[in-house]
Amino acid sequence: MITGKNQIGSIKSANGNVVFRSNNPKTNTPNPWQFIEATEREVNDAVELADRAFLSFSKTSIKIRQELLNKIAEGLEDSKDVLIEVYCMESGLPISRAITELNRTVYQLRSYGAYGASEDFNKTTEDVVNGVSLRKVNVPIGPVVVFGSSNFPFAYSTAGGDTASALMAGCPVIVKGHSMHPGTGELVAEVIAKAVSSCHLPEGVFSNLNAQSYKVGQQLVMHPKVKGVGFTGSITGGRAIFDLASRREEPIPVFAEMGSINPVVFSEKELEENGSDWVKKIVKSMLDGAGQFCTNPGLIIALKGSALDKFLEEFVEVLSKQDPQCMLSASVHDSFDKLRRTQMKRKGVITLSAQRTPTELNYSQATLLKVAGVQFLEQPELQEEVFGPFSIVVECESTTELIKVIESLNGQLTGTLNCKEEETEFATAVLNALSLKVGRLIFQGVPTGVAVSESMHHGGPYPACTDSRFTAVGGDSIKRWLRPLCLQNIPNYF
Ligand code: NAP
């Protein structure tokens, strides 16, 4: 049942007087529940509880932590009907997406548990130097704060990848619930609290705090007993939290996965031979989830010519047949609309897509723009992420200019190349340039669709992420919450 209260360990707590509601973006009306923002005292209670739980939780066996993750997965499956209903009411996303995302979240929990408990993951390094025994192990860093995102209420929020990986590492977690989906957050938090209790773990292993203002999140980041932060969201938000954590007397790591425009490069030959197939794939990738994915293809780079002209003609035609989709909230919709209009007005930018204003509020208008390479290079503002169904096509005069365009890009989560196998010279030049900018290189594909697996890397140079060495998706994401400890001549019973 949704009570609107904070989950502090095993207790539901609501001592504050700041209240807020989530909205249903489809009906543009407030949802029925009222949430109570955590007070300064409640924030402190949650962190103190996490700190007290830390030592014993960090010493639990990896099998117990795996059991915890499995119990959370089971609890989510048992509550799936109500979870999906509230998810849809708070996000405006369709039921099919809610089901896929819930399944992904459950899979993440189980697979991180299995990988984190595997021999491979827990390998230690041991050697003897001049009669001294050295053993290097990994230990959890301490209580971790998780900021979930608006666009993944299940998979990158309360029981999402950051929470699953931190718990598997042995770090207690305090979630700063997302203000757009606090009802989904409360239900998921209840599942986690029950799993903590049924595994006989200390209650401070998990808390979930409500907040509509930034105050709660900022207090959490500044609390001296918090030792790390996981964040998924915008560049502005991630950077603000990173800066705050760096200004602490004891700076702590912030693993923020932020914005990306995910360049997709096409060779002329590829467009000539398979342009129509690519139109279908790219439109789907651009519109999935109303374009509200961090791997949305926001930038398409190709050489000027008849193959590109034909591709764009078909692109616009297919786009014109797509229905507008509901966006996550009025604020996400308004920020999308404002930003796309700003980009439409920049020097040399041509709007290719038909501009039909959707009849329903909070519905998106897919936007495709085109700009010449030289003008793209002159205006770095064109690289700003427009969160939603939006792409800019950069039309280049030559391969040299195309490479310059790639070289001018900020750090990205992904970079894609679609060309023929035999175009090795072009491919090598493009892949070399892209590899310096991205966390994942894709050949013959689209950037959306991030597999949860050990070989996945979901990260990249800044501003895609604050630390390009780590991934936010896949079992290796657990490594973010561990630090090496060298044991010199320490007896084995420790
Ligand atoms: P967000 O605004 O960055 O928020 C993520 C989380 O961080 C939320 O819990 C938010 O609190 C908190 N937060 C943000 N700025 C903060 C600050 N200065 N101090 C403390 N806490 C802060 O990301 P989002 O909610 O996913 O998306 C919202 C907007 O970001 C959208 O309009 C979208 O255009 C843009 N965006 C999102 C993504 C993405 O991948 N999710 C990518 C690019 C752009 P509240 O819950 O109180 O807001």
Side-chain angles (χ1 to χ4, degrees), residues 221 229 237-247 252-256 258 462 466-467:
V221 173
V229 179
R239 183 63 203 237
I241 283 159
F242 178 84
D243 287 345
L244 201 64
S246 311
R247 283 204 302 273
I252 51 170
V254 174
F255 299 102
M258 306 176 287
Y462 183 85
T466 45
D467 194 332

Side-chain angles (χ1 to χ4, degrees), residues 80 130 156 166 169 196 207 236 250 335 350 382 386 438 458 473:
K80 70 173 186 303
N130 298 330
Y156 276 83
V196 168
S207 290
T236 322
E250 178 202 351
S335 125
I350 301 167
L382 283 170
V386 181
V438 309
H458 192 65
V473 175

Side-chain angles (χ1 to χ4, degrees), residues 148 150-151 176 178-179 212 214 218 231 233-234 237 240 335 385 387:
S150 58
N151 53 345
K176 200 298 282 175
H178 199 288
S179 55
Q212 191 187 33
Y214 290 161
Q218 290 168 350
F231 173 96
S234 65
S335 125
E385 183 182 18
F387 189 64

Side-chain angles (χ1 to χ4, degrees), residues 72 76 79-88 90-91 93-106 108-109 146 148-164 178 181 183-189 191-192:
I72 300 171
L76 293 178
S79 309
K80 70 173 186 303
D81 292 344
V82 61
L83 283 173
I84 287 169
E85 189 190 341
V86 176
Y87 170 109
C88 293
E90 294 193 316
S91 69
L93 293 166
I95 290 186
S96 55
R97 160 70 192 273
I99 295 170
T100 314
E101 196 184 321
L102 188 65
N103 290 341
R104 181 197 174 96
T105 311
V106 163
Q108 264 174 189
L109 285 154
V146 169
S149 67
S150 58
N151 53 345
F152 281 100
F154 289 145
Y156 276 83
S157 288
T158 323
D162 286 348
T163 299
H178 199 288
H181 45 76
T184 312
E186 183 181 342
L187 292 173
V188 172
V191 167
I192 303 177

